[in-house]
Amino acid sequence: HAVSVLEGVSNESEEKELGSNEKSNKQVHGATETGKKLQNSVAGLLSRFLPTIEAFFVVNASATDAVDSSSGVEEHNDLQRLVGGQQLIDFVVANKVLINAILRSSPSLLDKGLRAMVRIPRCRPFLDFDVKRQWFRSQVRRLRQHANRRHGSLRLNIRRQVVFEDAFNALMMRDADEMRGRLHITFDREEGVDAGGLSREFFAILAKEMFNPNYALFTSTEDGCTFQPNPHSSINQNHLTYFKFVGRIVGKAVADGFLLDAHFTRSLYKHMLGMKPTYHDMQAIDPDYYKNLKMILEYNLEDIGLELTFSTEVHSFGKISTIDLIPNGRNIKVTEDTKEKYVSLVCQHRMTDAIKEQIKAYLDGFYELVKPDLISIFTAKELELLISGMPDIDIHDLKKNTDYQGYRASDKQMGWFWNIMFSLSKSEKAAFLQFTTGSSKVPLNGFAELQGMRGIQKFSIHKVGGGAEGALMSAHTCFNSLDLPVYPTEEIMREKLLMAIKEGAGGFLFS
C-alpha cells in the first residue's frame, strides 16, 4: 500500500508538469492542495517504515569479514561476503519506490543506515538519478569546504581573446586541492563582479574551445553532436597535458555544479565510470562501421564473402598501416567460432586502445577533482546529464518559473514578450539564455532550479524606465534577470531583444 501511495505522488507530479496551460488557476490550486496532503501522509508513512528498513539494511548489508577500503566509498562486489546479500537485493528491487522516497526525505541516510545503496554496485541501479545527484553533491561540497579552509578561493584573471590558453597556464600550476576552491573569474579589462555569472560564462567558452580543431584534441562523430579523443592528437606536441587540463575542467565544472555544453561519446562516459565499452557503443561513433560489424555477427562469413584476419587498418596522415589485434593477428583468420572475439577486439581498438594515452591523461585530470568512487554511482546516460544538463529549452517551463518586478504577468508587454520567446529558433533561445543567465544550458530539473548568486534564483523580468524606441534591454547574469523597457509595440520589442542577444553574446557588459 505504501508503494502504491508513493507512486501516486510521482504520477501526480508528472501529470502537473505535463498538463496544458489551459488549466484554470482553480484546478491547479486544487491539485497542489491535494498533492500537499498526499505528500504529508506519505511523510508519516515514511517515518513509520524507516526504523524497520534501516535495521534490515544494517543487518543484511554487514560484511561477514573485514573489508579494507582506503576510499570514501567501499564497494562490496561479492554478495556472498554479506550476511544477507541476495535477500538485500531482492528487498531493494521490490521496494525501489519506497527507498527512494525515504532518501529524498532524509538524504543523509546514504551516509548512515542506507549506505549500502551506494556501496553495493548491484543496488545503485535502483537509486533514482535525483537521489544519486543529491548524494554526489553533498560529497563534493565537503571536499570544496575543506579546500576553501586550506587555500581560500581560486581567483583567475582571464583575457577573453585567449581564454583556453590563459586558463591552461593558470590552472595547470595548481594542485587538486587548490582547484577545489571556490572559483572567482575576472575578464581582463571588463567590468563585472563574479557572483556566479562570470564563472558560468568562463565554462561556456572553455566547453567550445576544448573542441577547437586547432588543438586537435577531439574529433566529432558522424552526427557532429558528440566528441571523442582524436587518435592523431599527437600532432599537438602538448596534447597529453591538454587532455589532462580538459579532464580537470570537466571535473571542476561537475564538482561545482556548472553545466557544460560538451557532449562526449557514450564510450568515453563509460571509461569515466570504469566500464568497458561494447560494440553497440560504436553505433553513435560510426553508424556505417557498426552496421558492417552487425552484419559480421548476424550472417555467415562465407555467405557475405568476407575473409578477415585479426588485424585492422589505420589511416594516419595519408599513410595506411596494419595493426594486429592479437599477436601475429594479420596471419590468423577469423572464423565463425571466433568472429565475436574479432568484433570485440576491433571495437576495443577503436574506442580504447587507439586512444588509451589520451583517455588516461583526460581521466587523470578528471579524477583529481572527482574521485572514481564518487562518480561510479551513475550510469553513462546519467553522467552525460550530470555534465551537460537538459538539451532542450522549454519556454513553457521558463514562463512558469519567471518572477516579475514592476510588470504583471497579465500586462500586454508580457504577452508580447512570451509571443516573441515562443517564436524564437532553437539557437536564438540558447542565445537568449546565454545573455540572461551566462549559460545556454537548462538545469537538470528545469528552470525551477536555475542557480544564481543566492543559490536557486528564478529568471526575473524587471520593468525599467525609458520607453523610447531606442532604449536597449540589459541583463544581470549573476541574478538571472532581464531589465526590460516599456516598448510601444511588439515589433520593436522583438527587434531590441534580437539585437541584445546577438550584440550581448560576445562580452560581459551588463552585469
Side-chain angles (χ1 to χ4, degrees), residues 460-464 472-476 481-485 487:
S460 60
I461 300 175
H462 295 247
K463 186 175 184 179
V464 294
L472 295 175
M473 61 184 71
S474 59
H476 305 276
S481 65
L482 177 71
D483 289 345
L484 185 66
Y487 294 111

Side-chain angles (χ1 to χ4, degrees), residues 64-301:
T64 56
D65 56 358
V67 178
D68 180 23
S69 176
S70 57
S71 65
V73 182
E74 63 191 62
E75 294 188 5
H76 299 298
N77 290 290
D78 187 357
L79 294 182
Q80 301 301 319
R81 297 179 62 189
L82 302 179
V83 172
Q86 190 56 52
Q87 189 177 355
L88 177 68
I89 298 300
D90 293 342
F91 179 83
V92 170
V93 172
N95 296 281
K96 172 188 171 182
V97 176
L98 178 61
I99 291 170
N100 280 284
I102 288 173
L103 291 172
R104 285 190 187 92
S105 177
S106 303
S108 62
L109 285 171
L110 280 177
D111 292 322
K112 299 174 183 176
L114 304 190
R115 60 185 177 276
M117 291 298 298
V118 292
R119 289 185 175 182
I120 300 175
R122 284 186 57 183
C123 288
R124 294 171 187 166
F126 302 102
L127 283 174
D128 290 342
F129 175 61
D130 64 299
V131 174
K132 293 180 183 179
R133 188 185 59 190
Q134 190 171 28
W135 175 82
F136 173 80
R137 286 179 173 172
S138 70
Q139 303 301 308
V140 295
R141 190 182 304 118
R142 292 174 190 171
L143 293 172
R144 184 165 62 249
Q145 290 170 348
H146 175 73
N148 279 334
R149 287 193 293 268
R150 287 192 63 188
H151 303 286
S153 297
L154 180 62
R155 298 182 179 274
L156 302 180
N157 184 272
I158 302 292
R159 293 171 295 171
R160 186 177 290 278
Q161 299 80 2
V162 284
V163 171
F164 194 82
E165 292 294 335
D166 276 5
F168 174 82
N169 292 327
L171 294 178
M172 291 310 288
M173 302 295 293
R174 311 292 182 103
D175 62 31
D177 213 30
E178 289 178 283
M179 283 281 291
R180 290 194 182 94
R182 184 182 177 186
L183 186 63
H184 281 274
I185 296 295
T186 304
F187 284 110
D188 191 45
R189 299 183 182 182
E190 291 189 25
E191 295 180 4
V193 177
D194 189 11
L198 290 175
S199 291
R200 284 199 296 269
E201 187 176 9
F202 170 72
F203 280 114
I205 295 171
L206 286 178
K208 291 180 180 179
E209 283 298 297
M210 67 176 67
F211 301 126
N212 187 330
N214 293 332
Y215 294 109
L217 298 178
F218 293 89
T219 57
S220 63
T221 56
E222 290 294 316
D223 61 7
C225 296
T226 57
F227 295 82
Q228 72 167 354
N230 180 4
H232 310 304
S233 62
S234 58
I235 192 172
N236 179 339
Q237 292 183 348
N238 296 320
H239 69 127
L240 296 181
T241 310
Y242 278 116
F243 270 112
K244 183 175 182 179
F245 168 67
V246 170
R248 279 182 147 205
I249 289 299
V250 175
K252 178 65 174 170
V254 169
D256 287 6
F258 290 100
L259 298 176
L260 292 176
D261 188 9
H263 296 265
F264 300 106
T265 57
R266 186 62 45 82
S267 56
L268 185 56
Y269 290 125
K270 286 188 174 182
H271 283 302
M272 295 170 73
L273 297 171
M275 301 166 61
K276 184 178 180 180
T278 68
Y279 97 94
H280 296 291
D281 297 317
M282 183 62 70
Q283 185 173 15
I285 298 173
D286 191 336
D288 292 333
Y289 192 67
Y290 173 75
K291 287 178 183 177
N292 293 337
L293 294 176
K294 198 173 181 183
M295 185 180 295
I296 290 171
L297 293 175
E298 293 178 351
Y299 295 93
N300 188 287
L301 294 176

Side-chain angles (χ1 to χ4, degrees), residues 217-492:
L217 298 178
F218 293 89
T219 57
S220 63
T221 56
E222 290 294 316
D223 61 7
C225 296
T226 57
F227 295 82
Q228 72 167 354
N230 180 4
H232 310 304
S233 62
S234 58
I235 192 172
N236 179 339
Q237 292 183 348
N238 296 320
H239 69 127
L240 296 181
T241 310
Y242 278 116
F243 270 112
K244 183 175 182 179
F245 168 67
V246 170
R248 279 182 147 205
I249 289 299
V250 175
K252 178 65 174 170
V254 169
D256 287 6
F258 290 100
L259 298 176
L260 292 176
D261 188 9
H263 296 265
F264 300 106
T265 57
R266 186 62 45 82
S267 56
L268 185 56
Y269 290 125
K270 286 188 174 182
H271 283 302
M272 295 170 73
L273 297 171
M275 301 166 61
K276 184 178 180 180
T278 68
Y279 97 94
H280 296 291
D281 297 317
M282 183 62 70
Q283 185 173 15
I285 298 173
D286 191 336
D288 292 333
Y289 192 67
Y290 173 75
K291 287 178 183 177
N292 293 337
L293 294 176
K294 198 173 181 183
M295 185 180 295
I296 290 171
L297 293 175
E298 293 178 351
Y299 295 93
N300 188 287
L301 294 176
E302 288 186 6
D303 293 343
I304 56 179
L306 279 181
E307 292 185 3
L308 301 169
T309 63
F310 278 91
S311 62
T312 186
E313 290 185 344
V314 174
H315 298 255
S316 178
F317 305 113
K319 295 181 179 180
I320 301 176
S321 56
T322 300
I323 302 294
D324 288 327
L325 300 175
I326 59 175
N328 196 34
R330 69 193 70 188
N331 296 316
I332 300 175
K333 288 187 176 182
V334 177
T335 66
E336 287 298 310
D337 293 333
T338 60
K339 66 182 184 182
E340 286 189 12
K341 180 180 180 182
Y342 166 79
V343 169
S344 177
L345 288 172
V346 79
C347 288
Q348 179 180 315
H349 175 78
R350 284 280 299 267
M351 294 185 285
T352 304
D353 294 345
I355 51 176
K356 62 182 179 183
E357 289 186 343
Q358 292 90 331
I359 291 173
K360 182 181 183 304
Y362 171 82
L363 293 182
D364 284 346
F366 182 78
Y367 289 155
E368 282 186 353
L369 279 299
V370 182
K371 297 299 182 185
D373 56 8
L374 295 182
I375 207 74
S376 62
I377 63 168
F378 297 103
T379 65
K381 290 182 180 179
E382 289 171 341
L383 182 55
E384 181 177 16
L385 281 177
L386 189 71
I387 293 172
S388 302
M390 299 173 76
D392 294 320
I393 298 172
D394 184 350
I395 299 301
H396 287 285
D397 184 45
L398 177 62
K399 183 178 180 181
K400 184 171 68 174
N401 291 287
T402 293
D403 293 330
Y404 301 91
Q405 301 291 334
Y407 285 112
R408 290 177 298 179
S410 58
D411 288 345
K412 65 179 181 180
Q413 288 84 3
M414 291 301 92
W416 297 344
F417 177 81
W418 292 115
N419 287 341
I420 295 167
M421 290 301 300
F422 280 110
S423 71
L424 295 180
S425 68
K426 190 172 183 178
S427 61
E428 287 170 341
K429 290 174 185 175
F432 174 82
L433 202 58
Q434 175 77 37
F435 175 67
T436 53
T437 71
S439 172
S440 60
K441 285 297 177 183
V442 182
L444 292 172
N445 287 335
F447 287 102
E449 288 191 4
L450 191 63
Q451 294 291 317
M453 182 179 178
R454 295 182 287 269
I456 291 178
Q457 199 161 358
K458 289 185 178 181
F459 172 65
S460 60
I461 300 175
H462 295 247
K463 186 175 184 179
V464 294
E469 292 187 12
L472 295 175
M473 61 184 71
S474 59
H476 305 276
T477 60
C478 295
F479 303 97
N480 303 321
S481 65
L482 177 71
D483 289 345
L484 185 66
V486 182
Y487 294 111
T489 67
E490 183 175 341
E491 290 71 26
I492 293 175

